Amino acid sequence: MTDLGVLGVGRLGAVDASGGLTPAGADWTLRWWIGSEDRWHVPPVEAAVRQTLVGDTPVVETRVRVVSGDIVHHAFAATGPGGAPTLVAEITNETPVPVAIGLVMDGAASVEVDGAMLTVDGLQVRLPRAPSEWVAPVAFVPLTHKATLRVVLAREAPEPADLPDAEQVAAGWRAQGDVGSRWALPEPTITSAADGARGFLLVHDEPDLATTAWLAEARHQLGLRDEQGFRSGLVTGQRLSGRIPDATGSEASTGQVLVALGSAIESDLIGPVAKAAHAIERRRRVRKHRKDPQRAGLLPAGPQPPILGHRAQTYLDDWWSVAGLVRAARLLEAGAQLEASVDAWRFARGLAADIDRSISSVLASEARTAGVVPAGPGRAVDAGIVGILVGTGLGAVDPEEPAVAATLDLIREDLTTATGGVTAGVLSDGWSPWLTALLAKAEIELGDPRGLDRLRALATAAAGKGSWPELVDGEPAVPVDLADHHGPATAAFLLAVRSLLVVERGPHLQPPDRLVVLPVMAPEWYGQGIELHDTPTAFGEFGFAVRWHGDRPALLWELEPSSTAPPFRIEAPALDPAWSSTEPKGEALLAPWKVPGATDVEVDFS
């Protein structure tokens, strides 16, 4: 399934691999049959069905081959007259002969037909003309050579002719691609997947705070605007204690809200952010654990995501809270609340120190596999160790710390597929695109080329659609609803692509002091241009370009330092480990490039 939606509204529905269109919240799907010269073609069971995105945008094209050519189905969301959000199915006959189209209300409890208007379980489905025949649950409509049939789904469906067509909607999404961070990479498969994912980033459902946080983090890192009122809405449920709960009762929820708030702050959020930081600090001071070296200073047990399993005390809740406290510190500093910012930094480092003490105590008290960090105190080393990828992705865990590095090594060794996919923790032996993207991001930021290989495999798995399900090639071990189009996977993939281009580095849980361009450089990129534009960083908006003079790369860069930017140094270790600059703008001809580690080997790039 691929999500569809419009800016400012979000997800309106989804389209499946055969073009079946399911409105959000509906229990039925609008499917389509094709009556051609030879027989009726039913897309879900046809072999000749191909699906892709139009121009890497959230306009999904499904082609079905019939005896005389292709019948093309486009599914998209659009804004109708007066701003009404609608779903649209647009079917075009590219064959030289007429065909019949059957519009199937699959799974509908009730359908009322009134001319060109069908009311399906309370939702209007408007056709451009009355069907030639209605045989429940199918409306039959003739479609002549080169003609297009447009069907609109909405609470109050406008006339189909009043809506933009598929190409116009795709053009609008392409224009949206010029907002925020932009890049040019010599990786067409990754670029195509990222372009598609970027559009979906703005229309995903946000079923829980963790998904909300990941989507917001990716939007912030790519410089995409949140919808109006998004930040204020996150704190509307804040309690007098400062906690911001969610429906699950997760102990991570307050930290997740702080992550979702990003780095920009409005004056009315200063108080809620400061209160939330203090709430985390109080919440982790559980009296009964004060004398327990493995649990002291950690948040109490709470519900866990499916990758970790049942209710427990885990490090993941604490890592979310560390990440949230760091965001709170930066938000409060941006709001000129320096004393409150210092408090939030102190809380973050104090919680991180207690996590480290707990891990050290756990590793010292029991025989652990190569010093691997378990999912939580008192828990054996199991597939739940993948939770550490969330901590590293949030910046709450230092991937270079020995126990963390050992855990990542064990994940690579025992919990990845042959193509590099990371298994979905204790949820299933299938693999998780979200966790795979987080491992790729961690590896890329460390300058490990395995991260690029993992990112390439993820882009290939997207099959031209820029979307991934929550679980691939496996069944869940527990009854749980899994997303067919997983928002955190979209976000994590885009964050990993950003890391491929630029990374902020510095001492762990300290303000960054370096801006690293291209932490990984693939041999296949030799001689090819690479660009990044208008990307927000901790130091300000940044962009660069790489050009080549023979075997020597030339780096051009420009940083617009923010008013609160700390001192910085720009580096390009994968291009030239010896080069750096503290200038915000410049051009440098770097040393002749060779594959890292190949110091004594001549490499022929011709």
Side-chain angles (χ1 to χ4, degrees), residues 4 14-16 19-23 28-31 73 75 87-89 153:
L4 302 174
V15 59
D16 65 20
L21 190 57
T22 305
W28 60 277
T29 299
L30 177 65
R31 302 197 182 280
H73 179 290
L87 285 173
V88 182
L153 294 76

Side-chain angles (χ1 to χ4, degrees), residues 106 112-113 252 261 358 374 386 441 510 556 558 584:
D106 186 14
E112 298 175 8
V113 182
L261 288 174
S358 171
V386 296
K441 177 177 180 289
Q510 300 286 342
L556 300 80
E558 183 171 3

Side-chain angles (χ1 to χ4, degrees), residues 115-129:
M117 178 72 78
L118 285 66
T119 303
V120 185
D121 291 356
L123 191 74
Q124 292 183 355
V125 177
R126 185 183 288 272
L127 282 60
R129 57 190 177 277

Side-chain angles (χ1 to χ4, degrees), residues 504-522:
E504 295 100 323
R505 283 184 183 167
H508 186 53
L509 295 185
Q510 300 286 342
D513 55 15
R514 286 166 291 157
L515 200 56
V516 177
V517 170
L518 296 174
V520 171
M521 180 70 185

